[in-house]
Amino acid sequence: MEMSTEENEHLVSVNYERSMNALHSNKKISESEMLVHEIESLSQEVNSGASFEQYFRWKGKREVDSILSYIEKINLPEVSLIVI
């Protein structure tokens, strides 16, 4: 069941862009901002229509090492199965 709303999509988008800009400027972001950033990054890759394994090619070791814990924090066990 889809649980997204237009408002949530907007909030995720704003947070993702802000965190992406901060990271590209070598600025630190909070753990919660990083969680949203990494989950959204994975989501974009999965939904791109191409093979989502590209996520693992383009992300650094830190991001790949942390994505499973982020998925578990937001309680998405079905997604964790494809990442393991």
Side-chain angles (χ1 to χ4, degrees):
M1 174 166 55
E2 181 68 37
M3 296 187 308
S4 181
T5 66
E6 207 171 295
E7 181 183 16
N8 287 345
E9 291 290 330
H10 176 73
L11 291 170
V12 168
S13 179
V14 167
N15 187 350
Y16 179 76
E17 288 183 36
R18 183 177 49 239
S19 62
M20 183 174 51
N21 290 333
L23 291 170
H24 284 269
S25 299
N26 294 319
K27 296 178 182 173
K28 292 191 178 210
I29 61 174
S30 71
E31 182 68 18
S32 60
E33 289 170 319
M34 184 62 81
L35 181 144
V36 171
H37 177 82
E38 291 305 321
I39 294 292
E40 177 61 12
S41 182
L42 176 63
S43 177
Q44 287 180 13
E45 198 62 53
V46 168
N47 293 321
S48 72
S51 173
F52 93 96
E53 67 197 36
Q54 291 180 93
Y55 170 85
F56 299 99
R57 286 194 192 131
W58 301 117
K59 289 294 184 172
K61 183 173 179 354
R62 180 191 56 78
E63 292 93 348
V64 171
D65 286 349
S66 64
I67 194 64
L68 187 57
S69 69
Y70 291 144
I71 291 168
E72 290 170 350
K73 280 183 183 178
I74 62 171
N75 196 25
L76 292 175
E78 299 86 3
V79 177
S80 66
L81 293 174
I82 66 170
V83 174
I84 295 177

